[in-house]
């Protein structure tokens, strides 16, 4: 170490490994200073995810892990043809979380401190005592009969019954309610029936989104499948949504999610992060949520993995708010031996979805 060097400038990555943990891939990044970072890869065939993480991760071995933005660019722009593809982005997201975890641990602070510090004292999360999300219950035909439409409307009424007038109901259309059916359904909704209606379209068709917007009175949200600032830019500029739902595990990790949140802020659109990860990836997303000014509510589920695989520090209070994810780093203790053991013994296995309409045709889901 020269006199100009310190722990931050002389740290480098020595190894990267990825562990299949059921439906999740856990990425471990090791350094020459004994500081280790962890990240999560979600919604991928886990063995493919782990192999890709160890291959792509060679780009960060030997590099300074605190250069999170530089290394994100290295990975994202490493391959001109694969760039921005789903498998690449989910993998980059996991590695990026691990790099931020190292930065936080090296500085002895929660990651949100490195992102500008907390903008709030606690984070509203669903599902919670007063906030639930419902959906259509699988693939839906293009247009519905009165009985079918009434069935969907009844789901909203039942959910409202559960949470009361001071609770929040969200409806995830899951891209499987085609525009004609959506128009029929929306005809029964009042503006305050839903906190938001999610993915009322298949991503990628701005004109279709615009058309849906004309017939739907409730706030519209989307974003879980839109990756990076370059994909959300078009949606925000077209003014077709009210709430953006970036996913820290899909869209490029912490490095990209904070930029996406800033872009949304510039369009006066709050974020409601989408999240189906275990406590490791959920904590990464919470650090961003804690540090951005325009935030509505965060998705987060219990028991995606056994509690002793990744031990979190935040807790939900009786009103449905979770405490800030304290650190250092992501503030998650990963039990590596337990993660490996669970991965080797679980029967949780990735299956390719096979959603069908009632006539046997393939459906979005
Ligand atoms: Mg969704």
């Amino acid at each position: 170490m020269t006199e100009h060097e310190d722990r931050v400038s002389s740290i480098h990555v020595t190894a990267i490994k990825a562990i299949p943990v059921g439906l999740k891939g856990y990425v471990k990044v090791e350094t020459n200073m004994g500081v280790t970072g962890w990240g999560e890869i979600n919604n991928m065939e886990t063995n493919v995810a782990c192999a890709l993480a160890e291959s792509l991760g060679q780009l960060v071995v030997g590099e300074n892990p605190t250069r999170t933005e530089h290394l994100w660019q290295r990975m994202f722009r490493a391959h001109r043809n694969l760039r921005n593809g789903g498998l690449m982005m989910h993998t980059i997201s996991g590695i990026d979380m691990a790099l931020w975890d190292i930065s936080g641990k090296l500085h002895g602070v929660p990651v949100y401190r490195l992102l500008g510090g907390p903008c709030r004292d606690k984070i509203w999360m669903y599902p919670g005592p007063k906030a639930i999300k419902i959906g259509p219950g699988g693939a839906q035909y293009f247009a519905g009969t009165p009985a079918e439409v009434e069935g969907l409307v009844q789901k909203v009424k039942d959910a409202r019954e559960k949470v009361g007038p001071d609770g929040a109901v969200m409806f995830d259309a899951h891209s499987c309610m085609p525009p004609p059916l959506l128009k029929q359904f929306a005809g029964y909704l009042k503006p305050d029936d839903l906190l938001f209606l999610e993915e009322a379209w298949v991503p990628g068709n701005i004109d279709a989104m615009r058309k849906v917007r004309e017939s739907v009175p409730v706030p519209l949200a989307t974003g879980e499948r839109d990756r990076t600032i370059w994909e959300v830019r078009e949606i925000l500029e077209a003014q077709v949504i009210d709430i953006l739902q970036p996913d820290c595990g899909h869209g490029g990790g912490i490095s990209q999610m904070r930029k996406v949140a800033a872009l949304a802020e510039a369009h006066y659109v709050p974020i409601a992060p989408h999240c189906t990860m275990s406590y490791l990836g959920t904590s990464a997303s919470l650090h961003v949520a804690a540090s951005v000014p325009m935030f509505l509510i965060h998705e987060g589920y219990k028991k995606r993995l056994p509690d002793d695989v990744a031990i979190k520090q935040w807790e939900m209070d009786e009103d449905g708010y979770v405490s800030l994810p304290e650190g250092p780093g992501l503030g998650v203790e990963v039990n590596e031996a337990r993660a490996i053991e669970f991965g080797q013994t679980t029967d949780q296995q990735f299956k390719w979805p096979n959603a069908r309409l009632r006539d046997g045709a393939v459906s979005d889901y």
Side-chain angles (χ1 to χ4, degrees), residues 133 172 174 198-199 224 274:
K133 186 154 89 178
D172 188 350
H174 251 276
E198 171 176 338
E199 281 203 320
E224 70 185 79
H274 176 271

Side-chain angles (χ1 to χ4, degrees), residues 56-280:
L56 190 63
Q58 293 311 305
L59 292 174
V60 308
V61 172
E63 299 287 335
N64 184 325
T66 66
R67 300 180 71 188
T68 43
E69 181 61 29
H70 175 68
L71 294 180
W72 191 94
Q73 298 285 335
R74 280 286 308 278
M75 292 187 284
F76 181 75
R77 292 154 76 177
H79 196 297
R80 56 190 283 179
N81 305 107
L82 301 179
R83 171 179 169 146
N84 207 43
L87 303 186
M88 290 290 277
M89 293 312 300
H90 287 218
T91 304
I92 289 174
S93 301
I95 297 173
D96 180 81
M97 290 175 208
L99 297 176
W100 277 100
D101 191 25
I102 290 170
S103 282
K105 285 171 175 167
L106 195 65
H107 289 94
V109 295
V111 166
Y112 66 73
R113 289 279 170 207
L114 303 177
L115 300 174
C119 280
R120 51 193 46 76
D121 304 322
K122 54 188 181 177
I123 299 169
W124 194 21
M125 184 182 265
Y126 72 94
K130 287 292 212 180
I132 52 175
K133 186 154 89 178
I134 55 173
Q140 302 290 312
Y141 208 58
F142 292 95
T145 62
E148 285 166 336
V149 175
E150 172 54 26
L152 293 166
V153 174
Q154 191 60 44
K155 286 174 189 285
V156 176
K157 289 180 183 162
D158 292 346
R160 175 58 58 200
E161 188 81 11
K162 252 186 219 161
V163 297
D166 59 343
V169 175
M170 292 148 275
F171 192 101
D172 188 350
H174 251 276
S175 299
C176 68
M177 288 175 68
L181 177 65
L182 202 73
K183 187 173 183 175
Q184 295 174 310
F185 171 65
Y188 291 89
L189 296 177
K190 304 191 302 307
D192 59 356
D193 277 341
L194 300 177
L195 194 70
F196 57 74
L197 175 65
E198 171 176 338
E199 281 203 320
W201 41 58
V202 174
N205 188 332
I206 297 276
D207 286 333
M209 296 180 189
R210 201 171 275 124
K211 197 169 155 196
V212 167
R213 192 164 178 72
E214 284 165 13
S215 61
V216 176
V218 296
L220 292 173
T222 201
E224 70 185 79
R225 290 190 271 170
D226 301 298
R227 299 182 282 265
T228 76
I229 46 175
W230 299 287
E231 285 195 0
V232 302
R233 180 183 66 88
E234 223 183 348
I235 302 167
L236 290 166
E237 285 179 356
Q239 301 283 341
V240 288
I241 58 163
D242 303 286
I243 295 149
L244 186 67
Q245 298 178 285
D247 188 311
C248 194
H250 298 177
I254 291 170
S255 293
Q256 199 56 206
M257 185 172 161
R258 65 187 184 135
K259 291 187 182 183
V260 163
L263 199 57
E265 180 193 348
H267 290 83
Y268 212 60
V269 170
I271 63 164
H274 176 271
C275 186
T276 60
M277 292 182 279
S278 69
Y279 291 146
L280 176 59

